[in-house]
């Protein structure tokens, strides 16, 4: 029986998949030409392309319309650690200590950014600026036009893992702080157990956020509230005022490292080595829901509004070791205060047990398990009615997320307001067929 699936605005006929949990978990397509694990997966802002970065030292561009590989990006001399895809350019960073900018139409390398002295962990593109973090204990700001370092941020005592940026127009304009925030603020998280807030204009450290007793693995930024959320190997999440450096609250319930964070609709979602995802009220730190059923650490997390109907209206934040605490893509975060009145919201997870899962965000119920990968899923994206998963097995898989079971009615939750739950060649060309 055929159904109609919309991908990037195109309507395609695909076999109808059952909506029962565990059923309907067949991949629409498997793209498996990378010769090493996929470390990161990025979706373009317009939703038309995907970018994968791999242990094989290459990156690949894919069309979301038909799952075809559009370009092979070759040039790095070691594995690609992270990538970010913009509408007109792709950016990758590598263990070869460089960052590269690529043409998304022909796959040609346009620029090489050199300066780091060790592995580059993360990059973040914000307008004409590029930010990077590295094992060399620094973060750096680069001019994209010139390909040169404009600022170097030194002060961490160990490698810098994650970063997020708050633009100057997102920050309050008090006379005493106007000069300090004129170029915006960069927030970095490190294995030294601290996060730091940097004045981009001057390169000076604005605040050091101390409190964690383990490495800071992930970071999410609420720009309207100038609040940072950090997740750590100490099992806690902490929120901070990035202007004053004050620790606002500690989120304590996880029994293992906090690996990934997502900030949506004034709620924080956290994935942990304790095999759970938890949802928290951002302003109070109160835990309101736990998503179980994982058999290993939760390695990736994505909230998606309107899984069964309606448009996606989630805020995007840098939350991975972001987002991307980081905006999961490493770009300048958008306000997480968007309200979505749809009830059909989902939480998608990638796990060390090589499976992806879909949960109803409101009830926490497990709706579907996606089986097929051989190793840990490192990154996930959801666009339209398709889930994209990238794994250390080197495969990119596309899954149909239509027909997830309707959530059961949920009773009142004390005094809480309603929760608006917040690594490849390809197989055959379109139309998509089950793998």
């Amino acid at each position: 029986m055929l159904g109609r699936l919309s991908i990037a605005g195109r309507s395609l006929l695909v076999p109808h998949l059952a909506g029962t949990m565990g059923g309907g978990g067949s991949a629409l397509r498997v793209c498996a030409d990378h010769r090493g694990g996929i470390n990161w997966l990025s979706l373009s802002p317009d939703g038309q392309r995907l970018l994968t970065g791999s242990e094989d030292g290459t990156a690949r561009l894919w069309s979301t319309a038909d799952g075809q590989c559009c370009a092979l990006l070759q040039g790095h001399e070691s594995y690609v650690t992270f990538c970010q895809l913009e509408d007109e350019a792709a950016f990758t960073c590598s263990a070869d200590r460089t960052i590269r900018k690529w043409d998304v139409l022909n796959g040609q390398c346009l620029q090489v950014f050199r300066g780091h002295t060790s592995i580059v962990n993360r990059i973040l593109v914000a307008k004409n600026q590029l930010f990077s973090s590295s094992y060399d204990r620094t973060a750096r700001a680069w001019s994209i036009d010139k390909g040169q370092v404009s600022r170097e941020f030194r002060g961490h005592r160990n490698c810098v893992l994650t970063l997020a940026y708050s633009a100057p127009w997102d920050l309050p304009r008090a006379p005493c702080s106007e000069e300090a925030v004129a170029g915006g603020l960069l927030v970095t998280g490190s294995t030294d157990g601290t996060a730091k807030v940097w004045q981009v204009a001057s390169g000076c450290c604005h605040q050091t956020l101390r409190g964690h007793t383990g490495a800071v693995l992930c970071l999410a930024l609420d720009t309207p509230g100038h609040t940072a959320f950090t997740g750590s190997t100490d099992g806690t999440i902490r929120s901070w005022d990035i202007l004053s450096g004050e620790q606002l609250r500690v989120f304590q319930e996880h029994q293992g490292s906090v690996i990934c964070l997502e900030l949506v609709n004034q709620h924080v979602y956290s994935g942990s080595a304790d095999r759970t995802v938890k949802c928290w009220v951002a302003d109070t730190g109160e835990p309101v829901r736990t998503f179980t059923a994982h058999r290993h650490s939760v390695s990736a997390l994505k909230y998606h509004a309107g899984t069964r109907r309606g448009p996606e209206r989630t805020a995007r934040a840098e939350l991975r070791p972001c987002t991307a605490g980081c905006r999961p893509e490493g770009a300048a975060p958008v306000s997480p205060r968007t309200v979505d009145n749809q009830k059909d919201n989902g939480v998608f997870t990638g796990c060390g047990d090589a499976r992806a899962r879909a949960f109803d965000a409101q009830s926490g119920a497990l709706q579907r398990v996606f089986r097929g990968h051989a190793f840990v899923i490192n990154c996930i994206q959801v666009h339209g009615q398709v889930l994209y998963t990238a794994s250390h097995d080197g495969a990119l898989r596309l899954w149909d997320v239509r027909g997830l079971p309707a959530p059961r009615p949920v009773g009142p939750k004390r005094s809480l307001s309603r929760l608006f739950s917040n690594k490849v060649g390809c197989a055959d060309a379109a139309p998509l067929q089950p793998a």
Side-chain angles (χ1 to χ4, degrees):
M1 179 178 178
L2 293 178
R4 195 163 290 276
L5 178 64
S6 177
I7 305 180
R10 290 179 55 180
S11 185
L12 303 174
L13 289 175
V14 298
H16 178 71
L17 301 177
T20 55
M21 184 187 74
S26 297
L28 294 168
R29 172 154 296 158
V30 181
C31 306
D33 274 4
H34 272 304
R35 297 184 178 182
I38 302 176
N39 289 327
W40 200 257
L41 170 64
S42 176
L43 179 69
S44 64
D46 62 11
Q48 295 184 10
R49 296 182 181 91
L50 286 164
L51 176 65
T52 52
S54 170
E55 291 280 322
D56 65 13
T58 71
R60 288 178 181 261
L61 280 165
W62 310 87
S63 168
T64 57
D66 56 16
Q68 289 293 298
C69 182
C70 306
L72 172 63
L73 314 183
Q74 294 179 295
H76 282 297
E77 298 175 1
S78 188
Y79 60 90
V80 177
T81 55
F82 190 86
C83 55
Q84 183 175 333
L85 183 55
E86 297 297 307
D87 288 334
E88 298 181 356
F91 296 83
T92 57
C93 59
S94 169
D96 68 6
R97 304 174 294 180
T98 70
I99 303 159
R100 289 177 178 254
K101 176 184 176 183
W102 310 83
D103 188 308
V104 297
L105 299 179
N106 58 29
Q108 295 299 306
C109 181
L110 302 175
Q111 187 73 261
V112 181
F113 301 81
R114 305 179 189 276
H116 280 296
T117 59
S118 188
I119 297 169
V120 184
N121 287 314
R122 292 292 179 266
I123 50 176
L124 185 161
V125 178
K127 290 193 176 293
N128 194 41
Q129 288 191 104
L130 170 67
F131 299 96
S132 59
S133 63
S134 172
Y135 271 76
D136 65 11
R137 305 183 183 184
T138 72
R140 300 180 189 223
W142 311 74
S143 165
I144 293 179
D145 289 339
K146 298 178 181 179
Q148 297 176 345
V149 176
S150 56
R151 285 286 180 272
E152 192 171 309
F153 308 98
R154 290 186 175 272
H156 281 296
R157 304 181 70 177
N158 213 326
C159 82
V160 185
L161 291 179
T162 182
L163 69 172
Y165 174 67
S166 183
W169 49 85
D170 292 322
L171 297 166
R173 289 287 185 172
C176 59
S177 65
E178 188 167 353
E179 183 177 348
V181 304
L185 295 175
L186 180 69
V187 186
T188 57
S190 169
T191 55
D192 66 9
T194 71
K196 287 181 178 287
V197 184
W198 308 87
Q199 299 172 13
V200 173
S202 67
C204 296
C205 181
H206 183 72
Q207 299 289 349
T208 298
L209 313 180
R210 294 185 173 90
H212 284 297
T213 58
V216 177
L217 299 181
C218 48
L219 167 65
L221 192 58
D222 172 10
T223 50
H226 44 82
T227 303
F229 297 84
T230 53
S232 170
T233 57
D234 65 11
T236 70
I237 302 158
R238 295 169 191 255
S239 61
W240 316 80
D241 185 314
I242 62 173
L243 297 178
S244 68
E246 178 188 0
Q247 179 176 287
L248 302 176
R249 56 195 58 84
V250 182
F251 303 64
Q252 298 183 88
E253 269 207 3
H254 278 302
Q255 303 302 308
S257 299
V258 179
I259 297 171
C260 44
L261 290 174
E262 181 122 337
L263 177 61
V264 184
N265 299 338
Q266 301 184 58
H267 290 85
V268 177
Y269 292 81
S270 55
S272 171
D274 67 7
R275 307 182 182 187
T276 70
V277 169
K278 290 183 180 289
C279 175
W280 318 74
V281 178
D283 290 341
T284 67
E286 180 179 5
V288 295
R289 188 154 296 111
T290 299
F291 303 82
T292 58
H294 304 97
R295 298 182 179 181
H296 207 284
S297 300
V298 178
S299 48
L301 166 67
K302 184 66 64 174
Y303 171 93
H304 184 66
T307 301
R308 284 174 294 279
R309 70 176 191 272
E312 179 179 0
R313 298 180 59 199
T314 68
R316 302 170 70 186
E318 198 281 326
L319 50 89
R320 291 265 299 158
C322 48
T323 124
C326 22
R327 167 185 167 189
E329 293 309 315
V334 179
S335 167
R337 301 184 185 278
T338 303
V339 175
D340 192 323
N341 292 317
Q342 304 280 1
K343 293 182 180 179
D344 299 332
N345 302 326
V347 173
F348 293 84
T349 62
C351 185
D353 63 8
R355 298 173 181 176
R357 291 171 173 81
F359 296 87
D360 175 67
Q362 191 173 23
S363 68
L366 176 64
Q367 297 174 301
R368 186 172 293 167
V369 181
F370 303 89
R371 301 175 175 90
H373 283 295
F375 296 107
V376 57
I377 295 173
N378 289 325
C379 194
I380 61 177
Q381 291 288 342
V382 188
H383 178 65
Q385 298 164 312
V386 180
L387 167 67
Y388 303 87
T389 58
S391 167
H392 198 66
D393 63 11
L396 168 67
R397 288 178 177 256
L398 286 64
W399 314 84
D400 187 352
V401 299
R402 296 172 303 155
L404 296 177
R408 296 178 181 178
V410 180
K413 295 287 183 179
R414 299 191 295 268
S415 61
L416 294 177
S417 60
R418 180 183 298 175
L419 174 63
F420 298 112
S421 322
N422 172 70
K423 285 164 160 207
V424 227
C426 262
D428 301 329
L432 300 177
Q433 299 293 332

